[in-house]
């Protein structure tokens, strides 16, 4: 009998409850970004859980046996979308694999205005969905030492 090894995928999972975390789930994959046009509401700088859909600040890149397309289907169901096609889920899966290819297993990341960044990122300059950013360090990381900093800034 041939044993087929399951393909492992990288994906985002809640790393901890530091700074802000409204999610009490453990071991659940995140959702991909669902940013609207206003980053200050949290959608532009927090990460949502695919189970409870509540948000948190820090995610960790982990391996999972769950196929990327299945993670996409779960996300679509969690947010109540009913007209997403298999082709759109497949395209989402490819885009997420590309996003995750920039990270290693164990990396702790945050989301900011359309991009994921490792927490040790410095001298960050990019054009996001909402604004242009030039940061010495991520505000999420600054908030570890300065409670309320992230909410006040964003």
């Amino acid at each position: 009998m041939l044993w087929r090894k399951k393909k492992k995928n990288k994906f985002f999972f809640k790393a901890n409850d530091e700074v802000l975390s409204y999610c009490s789930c453990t071991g659940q994959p995140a959702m991909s970004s669902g940013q609207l046009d206003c980053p200050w509401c949290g959608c532009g700088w927090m990460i949502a859980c695919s189970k409870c859909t509540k948000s948190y600040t820090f995610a960790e890149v982990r391996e999972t046996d769950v196929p990327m397309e299945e993670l996409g289907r779960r996300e679509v169901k969690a947010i109540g979308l009913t007209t997403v096609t298999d082709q759109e889920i497949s395209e989402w899966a490819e885009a997420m694999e590309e996003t995750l290819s920039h990270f290693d297993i164990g990396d702790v990341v945050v989301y900011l205005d359309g991009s994921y960044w490792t927490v040790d990122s410095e001298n960050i300059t990019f054009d996001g969905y909402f604004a242009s950013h030039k940061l010495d360090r991520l505000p999420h990381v600054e908030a570890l030492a300065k409670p309320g900093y992230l909410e006040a800034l964003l």
Side-chain angles (χ1 to χ4, degrees):
M1 182 184 294
L2 294 174
W3 293 97
R4 206 169 6 150
K5 194 173 186 179
K6 283 187 174 183
K7 178 184 174 197
K8 297 270 188 184
N9 296 303
K10 290 192 274 187
F11 207 72
F12 301 121
F13 292 79
K14 183 173 74 170
N16 55 50
D17 290 319
E18 294 179 353
V19 181
L20 282 176
S21 179
Y22 302 106
C23 167
S24 60
C25 300
T26 56
Q28 297 299 317
M31 287 199 284
S32 58
S33 64
Q35 184 173 333
L36 303 172
D37 61 357
C38 54
W40 52 85
C41 75
C43 68
W45 53 275
M46 293 185 80
I47 299 166
C49 172
S50 66
K51 182 176 181 184
C52 71
T53 69
K54 294 179 181 176
S55 298
Y56 48 87
T57 306
F58 297 97
E60 181 180 7
V61 178
R62 298 181 190 159
E63 282 188 324
T64 179
D65 290 334
V66 179
M68 196 63 73
E69 286 81 6
E70 176 59 24
L71 291 169
R73 282 186 201 84
R74 290 179 186 181
E75 182 171 327
V76 164
K77 183 178 179 183
I79 57 179
L81 298 177
T82 58
T83 61
V84 177
T85 66
D86 286 343
Q87 177 64 33
E88 289 170 319
I89 289 173
S90 186
E91 290 169 4
W92 170 89
E94 286 179 32
M96 284 305 298
E97 286 175 351
E98 169 61 23
T99 296
L100 287 153
S101 73
H102 302 284
F103 301 104
D104 295 323
I105 300 300
D107 281 348
V108 176
V109 301
V110 297
Y111 179 80
L112 180 61
D113 198 12
S115 296
Y116 294 94
W117 301 90
T118 59
V119 293
D120 58 356
S121 297
E122 294 181 335
N123 302 315
I124 302 151
T125 303
F126 74 104
D127 291 327
Y129 292 148
F130 183 76
S132 293
H133 304 274
K134 185 174 171 106
L135 306 162
D136 293 331
R137 293 180 67 203
L138 292 159
H140 311 67
V141 176
E142 294 285 343
L144 289 168
K146 302 174 195 171
Y149 177 80
L150 188 61
E151 297 122 302
L153 180 69
L154 300 175

